Amino acid sequence: MRERVRFFTKKSGHKYDKDPATVCSTAVNSGILSISPRLASRMSVEAIIRTIRRRGIVHRLYLGNSSLGDSGCVRLFDFLNSSAGRPCRESLTELFLTQNDIGPHGLLAVAGFMKDNTVLRELCLSGNPLTRDVDVIREFVTSLNSSRLCTLQLLHSTSLSDPFVQAFLPGLTTPYLRQLDMSAINMTRAVVPIIVDYVRSPRCHLERLQCNANNLSLPGARSIIDAIEKFNYTLGKVNVDDQHMDDDGGNAEERAIAWQEGWRILSSATRRNFESKIMVKTQAIALLRCCRVLYLRPAQRESSNPLQPVSVLSHKSCLFFKLPLEIQLEILTFLAPTLSYQQLVRVVRYAADITSLPRLSLARDWVSAVERQPFEGSWRPPEWWECHCRSFNCSALRRWRRERRDIWLTEVGCIGNLCWT
């Protein structure tokens, strides 16, 4: 007998069902109850595409348990990469494809969508078999490195195991990834050196790493913790709890003492990193504001030196600009003592560059539904979207500003106590 697939019913709702900028499988597939997987994939993806067309701007796709499979996933991303799917592609920030039986062809389709994508921030591929094919994984990593993805979830995909990690982590170089969840993917102690090499390298800019419910062993977990303590200054939350730690040698009391000591070291390191990151980010933003006022004067014109304004007002009335550039920078270090010299120079250069100022909008854009278009190259939501209010206290706008700030901090290398070259 052919395997049947059961979709969500109308009784099982989702918190985003009534959100006009969210396409959720609970709403799309509410009328499909029990059909064959192949037909379910075709019907599901076509229903999703029809819903996206009606919505126009879509910020979230929650498509868990939609039985897309490889063919449905390829069809979905073919649409999103077409001219008809462009409004969704340029506004989509959250993509959840949990438990959709996605394999190598579907993963390649996801990689094609992610390549050079500066809008997508969260991607969940949990519960999918994906692939162990090295070439496919490398293509996925290459696309991930070219994007600005912030969160990647791969948990509960036990078929991935060590081969996936061995092909995935060594090539991961994106500075924008903040959260990586690889819980319960059947990793073993064999990949511990790869994880250690990643967390101690300048390639790692993660703030959260989840590797629990695997087979890393107690010594493997301690190796990761030691690497974080000595070499990593960005991770603020780490979970390496191992479900098979009781299988390690030694009695139960010795194992408990060893793990408690490891947990103490990890807690101390992550607390150090969290406090350091807050201080660096706060001082970088404060320095930016001061340097904007200091360097961008009303009479400024173009200069070959971006740190040396050439306005008449600056030279005649401000003694600061008569000082050598090195002394100027030394004075500015008192505004941000935690920043390294390289971080300080990058912030000041950015602040002194008049072309980095945002363009001002003189009027709020209240347009008809036919004329509404997403902001190209940015997912900033217009005021008429989601909240239906005429105030500036919009949660979507607050999130947009917060993430734009994080992107800027990444570009100037101020996401932690690091010195980028």
Side-chain angles (χ1 to χ4, degrees), residues 205-223:
H205 304 280
L206 297 177
E207 295 180 352
R208 180 174 180 177
L209 176 63
Q210 301 286 104
C211 292
N212 54 300
N214 286 293
N215 306 317
L216 299 177
S217 76
L218 179 56
R222 282 300 305 269
S223 298

Side-chain angles (χ1 to χ4, degrees), residues 227-414:
I228 294 172
E229 180 197 22
K230 296 177 181 178
F231 303 103
N232 188 283
Y233 293 91
T234 62
L235 281 166
K237 187 172 183 180
V238 181
N239 192 341
V240 290
D241 291 349
D242 198 318
Q243 60 182 351
H244 295 286
M245 282 186 180
D246 292 340
D247 298 337
D248 296 326
N251 57 47
E253 184 177 357
E254 291 176 348
R255 289 195 299 270
I257 293 174
W259 175 244
Q260 289 176 1
E261 176 63 14
W263 184 86
R264 184 192 64 78
I265 296 173
L266 181 60
S267 298
S268 176
T270 53
R271 184 171 60 252
R272 173 204 66 194
N273 293 350
F274 178 78
E275 295 173 353
S276 174
K277 282 188 302 181
I278 294 297
M279 190 175 299
V280 168
K281 292 179 179 180
T282 302
Q283 292 185 10
I285 294 172
L287 179 63
L288 172 66
R289 291 169 177 163
C290 292
C291 290
R292 284 293 201 199
V293 177
L294 181 63
Y295 284 97
L296 297 184
R297 310 302 291 265
Q300 182 184 10
R301 63 178 182 269
E302 292 185 2
S303 170
S304 58
N305 186 352
L307 295 185
Q308 191 68 48
V310 294
S311 70
V312 177
L313 177 62
S314 298
H315 281 288
K316 288 188 176 182
S317 62
C318 186
L319 295 178
F320 177 81
F321 295 107
K322 296 181 180 180
L323 298 172
L325 181 59
E326 293 76 10
I327 298 180
Q328 292 182 31
L329 292 175
E330 185 64 26
I331 294 173
L332 292 175
T333 59
F334 290 95
L335 299 176
T338 303
L339 301 188
S340 68
Y341 179 80
Q342 289 84 353
Q343 290 171 329
L344 179 78
V345 169
R346 281 191 292 268
V347 173
V348 175
R349 284 188 180 276
Y350 181 89
D353 183 5
I354 195 171
T355 63
S356 66
L357 289 173
R359 289 178 295 178
L360 297 179
S361 177
L362 300 180
R364 299 182 72 175
D365 191 15
W366 302 101
V367 295
S368 65
V370 177
E371 297 172 333
R372 291 171 181 172
Q373 296 294 331
F375 287 76
E376 186 172 355
S378 171
W379 72 271
R380 179 179 181 177
E383 285 81 356
W384 50 262
W385 175 84
E386 187 178 84
C387 61
H388 301 293
C389 65
R390 292 179 179 268
S391 69
F392 288 95
N393 188 25
C394 174
S395 60
L397 288 173
R398 290 199 304 271
R399 178 190 168 189
W400 178 81
R401 296 188 183 102
R402 184 172 62 250
E403 294 193 349
R404 294 300 299 176
R405 186 183 300 119
D406 181 76
I407 289 173
W408 175 77
L409 289 167
T410 302
E411 291 175 347
V412 295
C414 293

Side-chain angles (χ1 to χ4, degrees), residues 183-226:
S183 303
I185 64 170
N186 201 25
M187 287 189 294
T188 69
R189 189 177 178 180
V191 299
V192 168
I194 296 176
I195 299 175
V196 168
D197 180 67
Y198 176 69
V199 299
R200 65 180 292 174
S201 73
R203 297 182 292 116
C204 179
H205 304 280
L206 297 177
E207 295 180 352
R208 180 174 180 177
L209 176 63
Q210 301 286 104
C211 292
N212 54 300
N214 286 293
N215 306 317
L216 299 177
S217 76
L218 179 56
R222 282 300 305 269
S223 298
I224 297 173
I225 292 172
D226 291 342

Side-chain angles (χ1 to χ4, degrees), residues 141 145 164-173 194-195 197-198 203:
V141 175
N145 291 336
F164 181 89
V165 179
Q166 291 166 350
F168 176 72
L169 277 185
L172 189 61
T173 60
I194 296 176
I195 299 175
D197 180 67
Y198 176 69
R203 297 182 292 116

Side-chain angles (χ1 to χ4, degrees), residues 70 74 101-111 129-133 136-137:
D70 267 353
V74 171
D101 198 28
I102 296 174
H105 297 291
L107 187 61
L108 283 175
V110 174
L130 300 179
T131 184
R132 294 185 180 184
D133 188 296
V136 176
I137 297 172

